[in-house]
Amino acid sequence: MTNKTMQAATLMVQGTASDVGKSILTAALCRILVQDGWQTAPFKSQNMSLNSYVTFDGKEIGRAQGVQADACRILATTDMNPILLKPKQDMVAQVVVHGKPYSDLDARTYRETYLPQAEVIVKEALSRLRSQYDVVVLEGAGSPAEVNLKDRDIVNMRLAGWAEAPVLLVADIDRGGVFASIVGTLEILTPVERDRVKGFIINKFRGDVSLLKPGLDWLEERTGKPVLGVIPYLPQLGIEDEDSASLDSKRMQSKRNESSQEKQADQLDIAVIRLPRLSNFTDFDPLQEEKDVHFRYITHLSEWGEPDVVLLPGSKNTMDDLRHLNESGLAERVKVFAQNENGWVAGICAGYQMLGAKLLDPNGYESDHPELEGLGLLPTETVFTSEKRTVQVQGSSTLFAENGTEIVIDGYEIHMGRTRYLQEMVTPFQIKSLSSDNDLHGDGAAADHGRVWGTYLHGILHNDDFRRAWLNRIRNHKGLSRIEGGLRFKERREAAFDRLADHVRSHLDMQRVYEMMELSKPWNREDV
């Protein structure tokens, strides 16, 4: 035995475009490698996303890398996504470095000034992961063939070179033009970059693969590279999507099957207002799995319909999205729904802030509006500050508990506002940081016997007992029978990783993938 450090094997998943399935396939490969006995970690050097994940130590990374860490059955760290870009407005994003806000930068400044610094950060994070794990699975961003970005690329082919990683190029056949997208991508790459691509994965296939065979043969002959797998479309993944591009895909898929999406008589119609700057929409994933819920998004007032419940989600810019609600007429409609129509309303993070009486931003941390009236449905007032709170929490709630009991909950916070109460009240949630035993405090607010409530806790609806108690309270109010037990979302999610891994493994030539990584069997890191 020696103390020599061996660098982990690497594999990189790149795509011909955004939303071709890179994140999900990376998660699948992570779980396959773990199933086969390898200590595995995910890595994405730079992620642009409004869907965040909070690490155990209270740092913020892209949701996709948090999910991939879960697939690896390890705790996520900022080394797995050292740079996160969170769009704030056109051409401007908040740059988050190792989980903490660095600066708001426009696209030109980021590219010309910050990318040289980012390169060092990325290499150091990758090196640390490769010293700690057997395999690191890297995910690219967008397309490696963006000719205007290649000279300062830190997330695709240059990264593959730094990582010495064989590249699997993924294309989405559901978009059409799959062969052109693959061949076109290769044509734009340099010979060295082209050589790094070791094979292709055609994703989201529907139909008889034998009908595709002539095209696959042509592609292999044309490029000299193998098609390693044709992955059939897998519905109802049960695993979070990364960002709003995938949310758009979901909505389109829902419209294709509109006849099967009609509300049933014993279902609750739950509508989420899709804000322009919507973030962390994965908060609502469990509701889409509940059999007694008809779930949908509202973008315009014309889509209101007859909801039983209206939810206000998180936002990257609360003030501007509140103005949107006012200007679109949705704000007034929510108020009438809650006050005059006996409707149920809840808000998470920014949605919670909007439900209050007033939002104050005197220093312009969120927008150029120093003060806005909220919806006035909760007795709260929020002031925006420069300090962002990012923390994983656990605690309890009595809000919908019965017989004097408490419901155990957990979740995470990502917000810059500080909310105070305008009258004395019993807070619906008691929480503390996972990393501290001494900060037990109240969170959120509720009114009208729980018909209106809000919280800073992302993931609150991932708590099975709390979600079911809330839904049953609404069902009782609507004269519907309660449902016992119900969905165990967290257990289903773990099973979903195995289902995804089995699906991909059965359609991907894993033997050749292992050969590309020069791996045969797990080795003991200390016996080298």
Side-chain angles (χ1 to χ4, degrees), residues 170-288:
V170 181
D172 177 3
I173 197 170
D174 205 33
R175 292 169 175 260
V178 67
F179 300 116
S181 66
I182 291 173
V183 173
T185 298
L186 289 182
E187 285 296 317
I188 292 174
L189 299 180
T190 68
V192 172
E193 293 168 341
R194 200 175 301 132
D195 189 55
R196 291 202 177 278
V197 178
K198 302 302 182 184
F200 311 121
I201 298 176
I202 294 178
N203 197 23
K204 306 180 189 178
F205 180 73
R206 305 167 194 259
D208 183 350
V209 72
S210 66
L211 299 178
L212 191 64
K213 186 67 165 55
L216 302 181
D217 293 340
W218 174 88
L219 182 62
E220 292 188 338
E221 182 178 355
R222 174 68 172 76
T223 64
K225 298 179 184 296
V227 176
L228 297 170
V230 177
I231 312 298
Y233 175 76
L234 183 64
Q236 299 178 325
L237 279 174
I239 299 171
E240 300 96 313
D241 289 316
E242 181 178 23
D243 214 342
S244 56
S246 51
L247 181 57
D248 288 335
S249 296
K250 274 185 173 180
R251 295 187 77 205
M252 291 302 296
Q253 180 63 29
S254 177
K255 287 184 178 181
R256 291 175 187 169
N257 302 304
E258 196 165 345
S259 61
S260 65
Q261 298 294 322
E262 294 179 0
K263 178 181 178 297
Q264 304 301 308
D266 61 345
Q267 287 183 316
L268 298 174
D269 188 336
I270 298 184
V272 177
I273 295 182
R274 184 175 179 184
L275 303 170
R277 299 156 190 86
L278 167 71
S279 69
N280 292 79
F281 63 83
T282 51
D283 283 335
F284 309 111
D285 281 358
L287 293 176
Q288 299 179 62

Side-chain angles (χ1 to χ4, degrees), residues 445-494:
D448 296 324
H449 306 288
R451 272 200 315 106
V452 180
W453 60 274
T455 177
Y456 273 121
L457 299 189
H458 292 290
I460 183 63
L461 296 177
H462 286 66
N463 292 278
D464 297 324
D465 293 336
F466 176 84
R467 185 182 66 255
R468 177 42 54 193
W470 172 57
L471 292 175
N472 277 338
R473 186 70 62 87
I474 301 169
R475 293 182 66 83
N476 180 67
H477 181 81
K478 299 288 181 180
L480 299 171
S481 59
R482 66 184 288 120
I483 293 178
E484 302 297 338
L487 173 69
R488 308 309 292 179
F489 186 79
K490 294 182 180 180
E491 296 172 11
R492 179 179 291 192
R493 183 173 181 269
E494 175 63 17

Side-chain angles (χ1 to χ4, degrees), residues 310-500:
V310 172
L311 297 174
L312 297 179
S315 167
K316 183 54 187 167
N317 191 314
T318 309
M319 299 291 271
D320 284 353
D321 275 349
L322 178 56
R323 289 185 67 216
H324 166 78
L325 288 184
N326 287 323
E327 293 167 359
S328 66
L330 285 166
E332 185 61 30
R333 191 68 188 85
V334 171
K335 287 189 282 187
V336 171
F337 176 70
Q339 295 171 333
N340 301 335
E341 298 178 7
N342 218 22
W344 291 71
V345 177
I348 296 175
C349 198
Y352 167 43
Q353 295 169 341
M354 293 178 190
L355 290 176
K358 189 175 293 185
L359 287 80
L360 305 170
D361 190 13
N363 296 309
Y365 293 121
E366 276 245 346
S367 72
D368 56 2
H369 306 289
E371 180 177 323
L372 287 177
E373 295 294 320
L375 301 186
L377 298 177
L378 292 175
T380 59
E381 179 179 276
T382 298
V383 178
F384 292 98
T385 64
S386 60
E387 182 182 354
K388 178 182 284 190
R389 177 172 168 84
T390 58
V391 63
Q392 286 192 14
V393 302
Q394 60 186 6
S396 63
S397 175
T398 58
L399 183 56
F400 301 110
E402 298 177 347
N403 303 320
T405 61
E406 294 182 345
I407 301 173
V408 175
I409 59 171
D410 59 29
Y412 61 98
E413 297 181 51
I414 308 174
H415 58 92
M416 297 180 77
R418 298 295 180 265
T419 298
R420 71 182 186 92
Y421 304 109
L422 302 179
Q423 63 185 51
E424 285 195 20
M425 67 182 309
V426 177
T427 55
F429 306 100
Q430 290 290 319
I431 59 172
K432 64 180 180 179
S433 166
L434 283 182
S435 58
S436 171
D437 294 326
N438 303 315
D439 71 340
L440 186 67
H441 62 280
D443 168 79
D448 296 324
H449 306 288
R451 272 200 315 106
V452 180
W453 60 274
T455 177
Y456 273 121
L457 299 189
H458 292 290
I460 183 63
L461 296 177
H462 286 66
N463 292 278
D464 297 324
D465 293 336
F466 176 84
R467 185 182 66 255
R468 177 42 54 193
W470 172 57
L471 292 175
N472 277 338
R473 186 70 62 87
I474 301 169
R475 293 182 66 83
N476 180 67
H477 181 81
K478 299 288 181 180
L480 299 171
S481 59
R482 66 184 288 120
I483 293 178
E484 302 297 338
L487 173 69
R488 308 309 292 179
F489 186 79
K490 294 182 180 180
E491 296 172 11
R492 179 179 291 192
R493 183 173 181 269
E494 175 63 17
F497 282 124
D498 287 332
R499 172 175 174 252
L500 172 64

Side-chain angles (χ1 to χ4, degrees), residues 117-159:
Q117 303 174 49
E119 181 176 321
V120 176
I121 294 168
V122 166
K123 288 178 177 177
E124 290 176 346
L126 177 61
S127 179
R128 282 190 292 269
L129 285 180
R130 293 190 69 189
S131 69
Q132 296 165 4
Y133 293 91
D134 300 336
V135 184
V136 176
V137 183
L138 298 85
E139 179 189 342
S143 163
E146 303 291 351
V147 293
N148 58 314
L149 302 177
K150 286 177 61 176
D151 63 326
R152 297 196 181 183
D153 163 49
I154 63 168
V155 71
N156 284 312
M157 280 300 175
R158 290 178 77 219
L159 175 60

